[in-house]
Amino acid sequence: MIGALRHPVEDDHGRVMAVMDEWWGGLGGEAGSLYRATLLPRLYFQHFTDTSYVLDLPGKDLGAFLVGFVSQSEPGTGYIHFVGVAPALRRTGVGGALYRRFFTDVAARGVRKVHSITGVGNRRSVAFHTRLGFTLEPGDAEVDGLPVHRNYDGPGRDSVKFVKHLP
């Protein structure tokens, strides 16, 4: 992998927030920016660091990040909460490498299944997850042939849910 992969520290929260609008191409305008920021509060960089990762590029620019954790309620379940890859590094294998690192680390803790979600209409994310062995979970609606969970993260925040079973 290009650069140095490490677990995040609290100061990485600001680094991640600084690239969110650029990396997501301003998706959703100001409302989209605020929504993404609320999905990734500082607490993830304080309390979920041993199963999360940051990729520092040469020169210390941020190349990618993955925020994930082992469920407190279901210790055999992991959850990948938020992932970002710098636009210049997309389609280079960096995202897949982050996911595989997470799978390896949480499997060592007894995790046998990993969940994740993506937004409705994010076909690239659906393709990415299915290439990594995730399957789509049945939803309560269907949009463009995909199972959708209506209002999953609040009113109007529909999601596609994935699960991957680890060996």
Side-chain angles (χ1 to χ4, degrees):
M1 187 177 305
I2 303 166
L5 188 64
R6 62 177 174 80
H7 294 293
V9 296
E10 187 173 349
D11 286 346
D12 289 314
H13 180 258
R15 294 177 68 211
V16 168
M17 290 296 111
V19 299
M20 293 280 266
D21 286 339
E22 175 191 346
W23 287 13
W24 271 262
L27 180 68
E30 186 176 338
S33 179
L34 289 172
Y35 178 64
R36 284 185 294 280
T38 62
L39 287 177
L40 203 55
R42 182 175 299 274
L43 70 91
Y44 284 102
F45 295 83
Q46 296 168 323
H47 301 288
F48 297 91
T49 59
D50 63 342
T51 52
S52 298
Y53 311 93
V54 169
L55 177 65
D56 290 317
L57 298 176
K60 298 298 179 191
D61 284 340
L62 183 62
F65 67 91
L66 180 149
V67 174
F69 55 88
V70 176
S71 172
Q72 293 282 351
S73 302
E74 296 179 40
T77 300
Y79 188 82
I80 296 177
H81 175 66
F82 211 114
V83 180
V85 176
L89 294 179
R90 292 181 188 152
R91 305 186 78 62
T92 65
V94 167
L98 287 173
Y99 272 67
R100 286 187 293 279
R101 175 66 179 271
F102 179 82
F103 299 153
T104 299
D105 288 354
V106 298
R109 296 172 182 220
V111 167
R112 293 298 169 251
K113 68 180 174 179
V114 175
H115 290 276
S116 191
I117 66 168
T118 195
V120 174
N122 192 340
R123 291 286 183 169
R124 286 184 181 165
S125 180
V126 171
F128 173 78
H129 283 86
T130 55
R131 278 194 308 271
L132 287 174
F134 283 88
T135 57
L136 287 87
E137 294 193 76
D140 56 10
E142 188 174 298
V143 174
D144 296 329
L146 294 175
V148 171
H149 297 260
R150 296 276 185 206
N151 302 312
Y152 183 77
D153 275 330
R157 299 290 181 191
D158 302 344
S159 294
V160 175
K161 290 176 58 178
F162 303 99
V163 64
K164 177 181 174 70
H165 295 276
L166 302 179

